[in-house]
Amino acid sequence: MEEKLKLLLTQINFEEEYFKDGKLDKIICNRSRDKYKFCISLDKPLPLDIYLKFNERLKNKYKDANVNSQFTLSHFSILDIKPYYEHYIEKYSMEASLLREFIKSEIKLEKKNLMIEVANKAEEMKVTSIKSRWEKDLNRAGFDVIINTHIDEE
């Protein structure tokens, strides 16, 4: 593990085991130094609970600033994305309960395209309404994907 990342993990009192292959690439801050983005490279994604805990610890350590992480992953699969997909559907469903129906939707990963199967145009519009936010959240976790829908013709 790279030393800068090791120091960060020590500062936020976080276990190192999930970051063994990791590197803290850079820390981006704005001119007024009240917004920070920690850019971290990993070989594979963090388990969802570890990712959420890491971000919580990061924000608790730097309470006076707007803090985010940005992961870059060398490898990931649909199995890695699925828990994040479900988590964000649950999160967005608190604002729009109809989104919860997409938890059971079939999803596929085709290169950088995350394909979500929908039943009709109305469902496609629901996905479109949160698409940019959803892509941004997945991207922060390291899943560099573009969300697309496929209407099931059956």
Side-chain angles (χ1 to χ4, degrees):
M1 175 189 319
E2 183 252 355
E3 285 301 314
K4 291 186 286 184
L5 180 57
K6 190 171 189 166
L7 178 61
L8 174 63
L9 295 173
T10 301
Q11 288 175 345
I12 65 172
N13 193 28
F14 204 82
E15 56 269 16
E16 296 178 6
E17 70 179 284
Y18 296 101
F19 294 87
K20 286 182 180 156
D21 64 340
K23 180 181 178 194
L24 177 58
D25 298 314
K26 59 186 168 183
I27 302 169
I28 301 170
C29 67
N30 63 353
R31 287 182 187 225
S32 56
R33 296 192 179 265
D34 60 354
K35 289 185 181 182
Y36 294 89
K37 183 188 288 187
F38 291 80
C39 301
I40 299 169
S41 294
L42 295 174
D43 188 42
K44 59 185 181 181
L46 296 172
L48 176 63
D49 61 325
I50 300 299
Y51 172 76
L52 295 172
K53 185 177 170 185
F54 173 81
N55 280 303
E56 181 182 324
R57 293 259 180 97
L58 199 57
K59 288 177 185 195
N60 285 339
K61 175 68 178 171
Y62 303 99
K63 291 178 186 166
D64 297 334
N66 179 353
V67 178
N68 288 302
S69 62
Q70 174 69 56
F71 286 88
T72 302
L73 302 173
S74 300
H75 306 94
F76 63 88
S77 72
I78 193 68
L79 296 175
D80 298 317
I81 294 176
K82 188 81 168 146
Y84 286 81
Y85 169 87
E86 292 172 355
H87 168 74
Y88 288 116
I89 287 291
E90 285 292 334
K91 181 179 174 180
Y92 305 149
S93 293
M94 292 179 191
E95 299 168 18
S97 61
L98 294 175
L99 294 171
R100 187 166 278 124
E101 66 191 63
F102 294 112
I103 282 188
K104 294 183 177 152
S105 292
E106 183 178 341
I107 62 171
K108 294 177 184 171
L109 184 62
E110 298 172 1
K111 296 187 181 176
K112 290 180 84 169
N113 293 302
L114 181 62
M115 302 297 295
I116 302 171
E117 192 169 288
V118 295
N120 53 47
K121 193 74 172 163
E123 286 188 359
E124 184 178 49
M125 289 171 58
K126 286 180 208 168
V127 171
T128 302
S129 72
I130 60 165
K131 180 182 173 181
S132 63
R133 185 172 156 198
W134 203 355
E135 287 173 343
K136 185 177 179 180
D137 285 337
L138 288 171
N139 186 269
R140 281 186 181 156
F143 302 109
D144 184 19
V145 295
I146 298 167
I147 295 174
N148 290 297
T149 55
H150 168 71
I151 299 175
D152 183 14
E153 301 293 331
E154 292 179 20

